[in-house]
Amino acid sequence: DGFVIGCLTPQGELDGHAMAPLLKAAEGCGLTLHRAIDVSRDLVETYRTASKLGFDTVLTSGGAGNCTAGKDTIGQLLKLRDCEGGPEVLIGAGVNARVIRAFREEFPQARAFHMSGKTEMESAMIFRRAGVPMGLPGLDEWHSQQTDELAVKTARQALDA
C-alpha cells in the first residue's frame, strides 16, 4: 500500500526531476523517503522538499550511522513535523526497545520507529567447506540474520508504555 523511494542530485539535494516518474507511478499510495535524506547536503531542506513532493513519511537516522548519534537532528525534524505539518519522522538505524524508551523520554512526540529486530543465527550445517563462497567474497556462509521475536515484543512494549 505504499512505496519507499528517494533520489539525490550529484550535489546532494533531493532530485524531484529523477523521482517524477516514480511519484506519478505511486499516486494514491503511501510514500516514504528512504534514508537518502541521511546522505543529503542539508537534512532540514531535504525534509521540507520531501513534504512539498508529497511524501507522508521520512525514514532517517538523523544523518548519522545510527539514530542515537543523530538524535539532535531527529529532534529538529520532529519539531518541523509538528510546526509545519510535515511528513512523519520514521526513526531508524539501530532501533531497539532501549532506544525507543530513550527517544520517547527525550522526545515525547516521537511515535514512529523502524527496526529489523534482527539477530545472527548460526547455520545448522555441520560440514563446512572453507574457501567456497556462495555469494560475494567475504560473506559468512554459516550465519544468517533473522528477526528476533523477543526483540520485537520488547520494542512493542516500549512503544505502548
Side-chain angles (χ1 to χ4, degrees):
D1 63 349
F3 293 91
V4 181
I5 64 171
C7 300
L8 297 175
T9 67
Q11 294 77 27
E13 297 168 351
L14 207 52
D15 192 339
H17 179 73
M19 287 188 299
L22 302 172
L23 296 169
K24 181 155 181 55
E27 278 181 1
C29 295
L31 200 55
T32 298
L33 175 65
H34 63 52
R35 289 189 57 209
I37 188 174
D38 292 325
V39 293
S40 69
R41 178 181 306 275
D42 182 333
L43 276 72
V44 170
E45 185 58 34
T46 300
Y47 178 85
R48 286 184 166 131
T49 302
S51 182
K52 291 174 191 169
L53 289 171
F55 285 90
D56 50 53
T57 305
V58 172
L59 171 60
T60 183
S61 65
N66 63 63
C67 62
T68 301
K71 70 181 175 90
D72 292 339
T73 301
I74 291 171
Q76 287 181 296
L77 298 178
L78 289 168
K79 285 179 186 172
L80 281 174
R81 180 201 67 196
D82 294 344
C83 293
E84 298 180 6
E88 181 61 75
V89 177
L90 180 57
I91 301 164
V95 171
N96 58 35
R98 179 188 52 76
V99 168
I100 291 170
R101 284 190 292 272
F103 263 90
R104 300 287 294 277
E105 185 174 312
E106 188 166 350
F107 305 105
Q109 72 274 36
R111 58 185 180 228
F113 297 87
H114 177 280
M115 66 174 268
S116 66
K118 66 186 170 203
T119 187
E120 191 170 89
M121 304 293 290
E122 181 79 17
S123 169
M125 287 291 295
I126 296 169
F127 174 76
R128 298 178 181 192
R129 183 174 306 279
V132 184
M134 301 303 281
L136 295 173
L139 284 181
D140 181 348
E141 302 295 335
W142 313 114
H143 294 88
S144 64
Q145 294 183 345
Q146 296 181 2
T147 301
D148 182 291
E149 183 178 355
L150 181 59
V152 174
K153 283 182 180 178
T154 56
R156 177 59 192 250
Q157 291 167 350
L159 282 172
D160 290 343

